[in-house]
Structure formats: structure tokens, C-alpha cells
Amino acid sequence: AQSVTQPDIHITVSEGASLELRCNYSYGATPYLFWYVQSPGQGLQLLLKYFSGDTLVQGIKGFEAEFKRSQSSFNLRKPSVHWSDAAEYFCAVGARGTYKYIFGTGTRLKVLA
Amino acid sequence: DAGVIQSPRHEVTEMGQEVTLRCKPISGHDYLFWYRQTMMRGLELLIYFNNNVPIDDSGMPEDRFSAKMPNASFSTLKIQPSEPRDSAVYFCASSLATGGDSPLHFGNGTRLTVT
């Protein structure tokens, strides 16, 4: 069965610093991979997605993620964090041929001014 | 595009009362999902519909929970009777009819508090 692990529950970075949020998945084939962001009191918003092709995908708000099959990872990165990036970030796996999505437990990002 | 619309945003009710949560998906989206989010269990899929038909309700915790989708633009999630452990944020999401590669579009959720 597919699963998603986000090892970091909380991460704190200074504004302007670089960011990497980790995501590891377990799935028997190449999955569909997503990163979502949730601001307080809001629903989840799609940041980016990977289906196939180029393993480095660009998303909104300056985020990017790299799919590494050998490491079963899909880490989210941003070169320079802004205070408005403080939120909770969820990695998700979509099983091909189904409509089931498995979400990680989330990483809460705090940005220091 | 107004996005997925949920109502109410907040619901406070007493144990034993009936609660109805509402969702309007994005027009043209053939799939509708109900999720529950808690600190302890994260995001859990409760049920999803395809073209108004429930496809998988294996995530519905108990018979106290029921969901309907009478038409393409409206769905409800009902809890009867409600219990304090049902307190959570309930999200509705919709997606296009493609094979698992279509992102979910979430509403802003309904925060349910059962006292």
C-alpha cells in the first residue's frame, strides 16, 4: 500500500534563507506526487505536481520540487523564504488508476523576521 | 471560478444533535471528496463521489456519518447523532475526471465543534 512520510513536523527558518521540506513515499510504481500548502483557517492549495517527464518541477510562489526515484523522495525547495510562506505543507501521493490520494502528516513552517 | 464552496465555516453543536455540512464543487469537476482533518490523524478520506455516485465510502467512520450528492453542484455530509470525538475540520474537494493525475481543489473547510 502506498504511504507518505514527512519526517519534519516543524521547521523554522529565517526570512531570506533557503528551504527544503522532505517527503518520502512508498509506492509500487511511479506515483503522482503533489505538494499542497495550507494557511491557517484555509483549505489546501496546490503548489506543484509531478506526473512524469522532467524530474524537477516548478510550482507557484517560487517553489520547486525534485522527484528522485532512487530515493523515493519528492522534496520541496525554495531558494529564499518570505514571511508569507509560513504555513503547513503537505506532500501527497496519488495512485495511478484510482482516485485515492494519501497525504503526509504535514510540516509546519515558521519564518523568523 | 469561485472554487469549492463549503458552508458553514464554523459549526458548534451539542452532543446528540444532527449536523449537516454542505459543499458546492467547482463546475465541471466530476469527482467530489470529503476529508476530515484532526491533529491526531491528519487528513483522512471519508468518501468520494464520481458523477454524483458514491464510489468508496470505506473511510466513513461509523453509521452515524452519511453523505449524499443529489446533483453535480451540491453535496452534504451529515452526522447524526454527533459526538465530541467528531470535532474536526471537514474539507470538501473536487477534481476533474482524469485518472488520478488531477489535483484536488479544496474548499476552506468547516470547523466542527461538538460539546
Side-chain angles (χ1 to χ4, degrees), chain B residues 86-110:
Chain B
D86 301 330
S87 297
V89 180
Y90 291 81
F91 287 104
C92 177
S94 68
S95 69
L96 289 170
T98 53
D101 59 349
S102 180
L104 297 174
H105 298 260
F106 285 83
N108 285 333
T110 294

PDB file of all heavy atoms in Angstrom, chain B residues 86-110:
ATOM      1  N   ASP B  86     -16.186  13.741  17.107  1.00  0.00           N
ATOM      2  CA  ASP B  86     -16.362  14.146  15.708  1.00  0.00           C
ATOM      3  C   ASP B  86     -15.789  15.540  15.459  1.00  0.00           C
ATOM      4  O   ASP B  86     -15.732  15.989  14.299  1.00  0.00           O
ATOM      5  CB  ASP B  86     -17.839  14.143  15.325  1.00  0.00           C
ATOM      6  CG  ASP B  86     -18.478  12.781  15.503  1.00  0.00           C
ATOM      7  OD1 ASP B  86     -17.766  11.761  15.368  1.00  0.00           O
ATOM      8  OD2 ASP B  86     -19.692  12.731  15.796  1.00  0.00           O
ATOM      9  N   SER B  87     -15.390  16.220  16.512  1.00  0.00           N
ATOM     10  CA  SER B  87     -14.839  17.564  16.371  1.00  0.00           C
ATOM     11  C   SER B  87     -13.590  17.512  15.490  1.00  0.00           C
ATOM     12  O   SER B  87     -12.655  16.754  15.760  1.00  0.00           O
ATOM     13  CB  SER B  87     -14.490  18.152  17.739  1.00  0.00           C
ATOM     14  OG  SER B  87     -15.651  18.280  18.528  1.00  0.00           O
ATOM     15  N   ALA B  88     -13.593  18.297  14.437  1.00  0.00           N
ATOM     16  CA  ALA B  88     -12.518  18.272  13.440  1.00  0.00           C
ATOM     17  C   ALA B  88     -12.811  19.354  12.416  1.00  0.00           C
ATOM     18  O   ALA B  88     -13.828  20.045  12.484  1.00  0.00           O
ATOM     19  CB  ALA B  88     -12.454  16.909  12.732  1.00  0.00           C
ATOM     20  N   VAL B  89     -11.897  19.494  11.460  1.00  0.00           N
ATOM     21  CA  VAL B  89     -12.173  20.326  10.292  1.00  0.00           C
ATOM     22  C   VAL B  89     -12.511  19.387   9.139  1.00  0.00           C
ATOM     23  O   VAL B  89     -11.748  18.450   8.852  1.00  0.00           O
ATOM     24  CB  VAL B  89     -10.976  21.213   9.919  1.00  0.00           C
ATOM     25  CG1 VAL B  89     -11.320  22.071   8.698  1.00  0.00           C
ATOM     26  CG2 VAL B  89     -10.576  22.097  11.090  1.00  0.00           C
ATOM     27  N   TYR B  90     -13.629  19.632   8.519  1.00  0.00           N
ATOM     28  CA  TYR B  90     -14.089  18.793   7.413  1.00  0.00           C
ATOM     29  C   TYR B  90     -13.902  19.568   6.111  1.00  0.00           C
ATOM     30  O   TYR B  90     -14.394  20.679   5.961  1.00  0.00           O
ATOM     31  CB  TYR B  90     -15.555  18.412   7.613  1.00  0.00           C
ATOM     32  CG  TYR B  90     -15.735  17.464   8.766  1.00  0.00           C
ATOM     33  CD1 TYR B  90     -15.772  17.930  10.083  1.00  0.00           C
ATOM     34  CD2 TYR B  90     -15.840  16.094   8.557  1.00  0.00           C
ATOM     35  CE1 TYR B  90     -15.901  17.053  11.155  1.00  0.00           C
ATOM     36  CE2 TYR B  90     -15.981  15.207   9.622  1.00  0.00           C
ATOM     37  CZ  TYR B  90     -16.010  15.702  10.905  1.00  0.00           C
ATOM     38  OH  TYR B  90     -16.143  14.820  11.965  1.00  0.00           O
ATOM     39  N   PHE B  91     -13.185  18.931   5.186  1.00  0.00           N
ATOM     40  CA  PHE B  91     -12.912  19.554   3.899  1.00  0.00           C
ATOM     41  C   PHE B  91     -13.644  18.821   2.786  1.00  0.00           C
ATOM     42  O   PHE B  91     -13.724  17.589   2.767  1.00  0.00           O
ATOM     43  CB  PHE B  91     -11.408  19.516   3.583  1.00  0.00           C
ATOM     44  CG  PHE B  91     -10.591  20.480   4.389  1.00  0.00           C
ATOM     45  CD1 PHE B  91      -9.822  20.032   5.455  1.00  0.00           C
ATOM     46  CD2 PHE B  91     -10.587  21.828   4.078  1.00  0.00           C
ATOM     47  CE1 PHE B  91      -9.061  20.920   6.205  1.00  0.00           C
ATOM     48  CE2 PHE B  91      -9.826  22.721   4.821  1.00  0.00           C
ATOM     49  CZ  PHE B  91      -9.067  22.261   5.884  1.00  0.00           C
ATOM     50  N   CYS B  92     -14.131  19.598   1.865  1.00  0.00           N
ATOM     51  CA  CYS B  92     -14.650  19.084   0.616  1.00  0.00           C
ATOM     52  C   CYS B  92     -13.632  19.448  -0.466  1.00  0.00           C
ATOM     53  O   CYS B  92     -13.015  20.524  -0.422  1.00  0.00           O
ATOM     54  CB  CYS B  92     -16.002  19.721   0.320  1.00  0.00           C
ATOM     55  SG  CYS B  92     -16.743  19.257  -1.243  1.00  0.00           S
ATOM     56  N   ALA B  93     -13.441  18.551  -1.424  1.00  0.00           N
ATOM     57  CA  ALA B  93     -12.519  18.819  -2.527  1.00  0.00           C
ATOM     58  C   ALA B  93     -13.132  18.265  -3.797  1.00  0.00           C
ATOM     59  O   ALA B  93     -13.912  17.302  -3.758  1.00  0.00           O
ATOM     60  CB  ALA B  93     -11.150  18.184  -2.278  1.00  0.00           C
ATOM     61  N   SER B  94     -12.769  18.843  -4.923  1.00  0.00           N
ATOM     62  CA  SER B  94     -13.251  18.316  -6.193  1.00  0.00           C
ATOM     63  C   SER B  94     -12.103  18.228  -7.187  1.00  0.00           C
ATOM     64  O   SER B  94     -11.062  18.868  -7.000  1.00  0.00           O
ATOM     65  CB  SER B  94     -14.382  19.179  -6.752  1.00  0.00           C
ATOM     66  OG  SER B  94     -13.926  20.460  -7.149  1.00  0.00           O
ATOM     67  N   SER B  95     -12.291  17.413  -8.215  1.00  0.00           N
ATOM     68  CA  SER B  95     -11.262  17.283  -9.246  1.00  0.00           C
ATOM     69  C   SER B  95     -11.926  16.897 -10.566  1.00  0.00           C
ATOM     70  O   SER B  95     -13.066  16.437 -10.599  1.00  0.00           O
ATOM     71  CB  SER B  95     -10.205  16.249  -8.863  1.00  0.00           C
ATOM     72  OG  SER B  95     -10.733  14.936  -8.886  1.00  0.00           O
ATOM     73  N   LEU B  96     -11.164  17.103 -11.634  1.00  0.00           N
ATOM     74  CA  LEU B  96     -11.638  16.723 -12.962  1.00  0.00           C
ATOM     75  C   LEU B  96     -11.623  15.214 -13.135  1.00  0.00           C
ATOM     76  O   LEU B  96     -11.005  14.491 -12.387  1.00  0.00           O
ATOM     77  CB  LEU B  96     -10.737  17.360 -14.022  1.00  0.00           C
ATOM     78  CG  LEU B  96     -10.852  18.865 -14.205  1.00  0.00           C
ATOM     79  CD1 LEU B  96      -9.734  19.375 -15.090  1.00  0.00           C
ATOM     80  CD2 LEU B  96     -12.205  19.248 -14.758  1.00  0.00           C
ATOM     81  N   ALA B  97     -12.307  14.743 -14.116  1.00  0.00           N
ATOM     82  CA  ALA B  97     -12.438  13.298 -14.349  1.00  0.00           C
ATOM     83  C   ALA B  97     -11.265  12.770 -15.156  1.00  0.00           C
ATOM     84  O   ALA B  97     -11.398  12.357 -16.285  1.00  0.00           O
ATOM     85  CB  ALA B  97     -13.742  13.003 -15.062  1.00  0.00           C
ATOM     86  N   THR B  98     -10.078  12.802 -14.556  1.00  0.00           N
ATOM     87  CA  THR B  98      -8.926  12.160 -15.194  1.00  0.00           C
ATOM     88  C   THR B  98      -8.347  11.142 -14.231  1.00  0.00           C
ATOM     89  O   THR B  98      -8.647  11.174 -13.047  1.00  0.00           O
ATOM     90  CB  THR B  98      -7.859  13.196 -15.584  1.00  0.00           C
ATOM     91  OG1 THR B  98      -7.533  13.971 -14.450  1.00  0.00           O
ATOM     92  CG2 THR B  98      -8.378  14.085 -16.698  1.00  0.00           C
ATOM     93  N   GLY B  99      -7.528  10.275 -14.722  1.00  0.00           N
ATOM     94  CA  GLY B  99      -7.137   9.091 -13.974  1.00  0.00           C
ATOM     95  C   GLY B  99      -6.152   9.270 -12.841  1.00  0.00           C
ATOM     96  O   GLY B  99      -5.037   8.796 -12.901  1.00  0.00           O
ATOM     97  N   GLY B 100      -6.531   9.939 -11.804  1.00  0.00           N
ATOM     98  CA  GLY B 100      -5.688  10.042 -10.619  1.00  0.00           C
ATOM     99  C   GLY B 100      -4.630  11.106 -10.724  1.00  0.00           C
ATOM    100  O   GLY B 100      -3.916  11.371  -9.762  1.00  0.00           O
ATOM    101  N   ASP B 101      -4.508  11.734 -11.877  1.00  0.00           N
ATOM    102  CA  ASP B 101      -3.470  12.741 -12.035  1.00  0.00           C
ATOM    103  C   ASP B 101      -4.026  14.156 -11.937  1.00  0.00           C
ATOM    104  O   ASP B 101      -3.323  15.113 -12.217  1.00  0.00           O
ATOM    105  CB  ASP B 101      -2.756  12.575 -13.369  1.00  0.00           C
ATOM    106  CG  ASP B 101      -3.698  12.693 -14.557  1.00  0.00           C
ATOM    107  OD1 ASP B 101      -4.917  12.691 -14.349  1.00  0.00           O
ATOM    108  OD2 ASP B 101      -3.199  12.770 -15.695  1.00  0.00           O
ATOM    109  N   SER B 102      -5.268  14.256 -11.561  1.00  0.00           N
ATOM    110  CA  SER B 102      -5.883  15.568 -11.472  1.00  0.00           C
ATOM    111  C   SER B 102      -5.805  16.070 -10.036  1.00  0.00           C
ATOM    112  O   SER B 102      -6.261  15.381  -9.122  1.00  0.00           O
ATOM    113  CB  SER B 102      -7.345  15.477 -11.905  1.00  0.00           C
ATOM    114  OG  SER B 102      -7.966  16.733 -11.827  1.00  0.00           O
ATOM    115  N   PRO B 103      -5.213  17.220  -9.824  1.00  0.00           N
ATOM    116  CA  PRO B 103      -5.085  17.719  -8.452  1.00  0.00           C
ATOM    117  C   PRO B 103      -6.442  17.942  -7.803  1.00  0.00           C
ATOM    118  O   PRO B 103      -7.443  18.201  -8.467  1.00  0.00           O
ATOM    119  CB  PRO B 103      -4.359  19.054  -8.621  1.00  0.00           C
ATOM    120  CG  PRO B 103      -3.761  19.018  -9.973  1.00  0.00           C
ATOM    121  CD  PRO B 103      -4.634  18.152 -10.806  1.00  0.00           C
ATOM    122  N   LEU B 104      -6.446  17.861  -6.503  1.00  0.00           N
ATOM    123  CA  LEU B 104      -7.632  18.175  -5.731  1.00  0.00           C
ATOM    124  C   LEU B 104      -7.705  19.669  -5.495  1.00  0.00           C
ATOM    125  O   LEU B 104      -6.693  20.311  -5.220  1.00  0.00           O
ATOM    126  CB  LEU B 104      -7.590  17.441  -4.386  1.00  0.00           C
ATOM    127  CG  LEU B 104      -7.606  15.920  -4.434  1.00  0.00           C
ATOM    128  CD1 LEU B 104      -7.404  15.355  -3.040  1.00  0.00           C
ATOM    129  CD2 LEU B 104      -8.906  15.428  -5.030  1.00  0.00           C
ATOM    130  N   HIS B 105      -8.904  20.195  -5.578  1.00  0.00           N
ATOM    131  CA  HIS B 105      -9.166  21.599  -5.256  1.00  0.00           C
ATOM    132  C   HIS B 105     -10.011  21.609  -3.988  1.00  0.00           C
ATOM    133  O   HIS B 105     -11.122  21.082  -3.982  1.00  0.00           O
ATOM    134  CB  HIS B 105      -9.890  22.289  -6.405  1.00  0.00           C
ATOM    135  CG  HIS B 105      -9.100  22.326  -7.669  1.00  0.00           C
ATOM    136  ND1 HIS B 105      -8.401  23.446  -8.072  1.00  0.00           N
ATOM    137  CD2 HIS B 105      -8.860  21.387  -8.610  1.00  0.00           C
ATOM    138  CE1 HIS B 105      -7.787  23.189  -9.215  1.00  0.00           C
ATOM    139  NE2 HIS B 105      -8.046  21.946  -9.557  1.00  0.00           N
ATOM    140  N   PHE B 106      -9.473  22.181  -2.955  1.00  0.00           N
ATOM    141  CA  PHE B 106     -10.114  22.135  -1.641  1.00  0.00           C
ATOM    142  C   PHE B 106     -10.924  23.389  -1.363  1.00  0.00           C
ATOM    143  O   PHE B 106     -10.549  24.502  -1.768  1.00  0.00           O
ATOM    144  CB  PHE B 106      -9.060  22.010  -0.540  1.00  0.00           C
ATOM    145  CG  PHE B 106      -8.460  20.642  -0.421  1.00  0.00           C
ATOM    146  CD1 PHE B 106      -7.418  20.243  -1.251  1.00  0.00           C
ATOM    147  CD2 PHE B 106      -8.939  19.744   0.521  1.00  0.00           C
ATOM    148  CE1 PHE B 106      -6.863  18.979  -1.140  1.00  0.00           C
ATOM    149  CE2 PHE B 106      -8.384  18.479   0.645  1.00  0.00           C
ATOM    150  CZ  PHE B 106      -7.353  18.099  -0.195  1.00  0.00           C
ATOM    151  N   GLY B 107     -12.014  23.191  -0.615  1.00  0.00           N
ATOM    152  CA  GLY B 107     -12.696  24.313  -0.009  1.00  0.00           C
ATOM    153  C   GLY B 107     -11.966  24.762   1.245  1.00  0.00           C
ATOM    154  O   GLY B 107     -10.945  24.173   1.631  1.00  0.00           O
ATOM    155  N   ASN B 108     -12.493  25.785   1.888  1.00  0.00           N
ATOM    156  CA  ASN B 108     -11.845  26.324   3.090  1.00  0.00           C
ATOM    157  C   ASN B 108     -12.188  25.559   4.362  1.00  0.00           C
ATOM    158  O   ASN B 108     -11.692  25.869   5.430  1.00  0.00           O
ATOM    159  CB  ASN B 108     -12.201  27.799   3.262  1.00  0.00           C
ATOM    160  CG  ASN B 108     -11.442  28.667   2.268  1.00  0.00           C
ATOM    161  OD1 ASN B 108     -10.359  28.310   1.815  1.00  0.00           O
ATOM    162  ND2 ASN B 108     -12.020  29.792   1.914  1.00  0.00           N
ATOM    163  N   GLY B 109     -13.071  24.582   4.228  1.00  0.00           N
ATOM    164  CA  GLY B 109     -13.341  23.715   5.356  1.00  0.00           C
ATOM    165  C   GLY B 109     -14.453  24.207   6.265  1.00  0.00           C
ATOM    166  O   GLY B 109     -14.809  25.388   6.280  1.00  0.00           O
ATOM    167  N   THR B 110     -14.989  23.272   7.030  1.00  0.00           N
ATOM    168  CA  THR B 110     -15.937  23.571   8.106  1.00  0.00           C
ATOM    169  C   THR B 110     -15.329  23.072   9.403  1.00  0.00           C
ATOM    170  O   THR B 110     -15.018  21.874   9.521  1.00  0.00           O
ATOM    171  CB  THR B 110     -17.284  22.864   7.888  1.00  0.00           C
ATOM    172  OG1 THR B 110     -17.923  23.377   6.729  1.00  0.00           O
ATOM    173  CG2 THR B 110     -18.194  23.062   9.103  1.00  0.00           C
TER     174      THR B 110
END
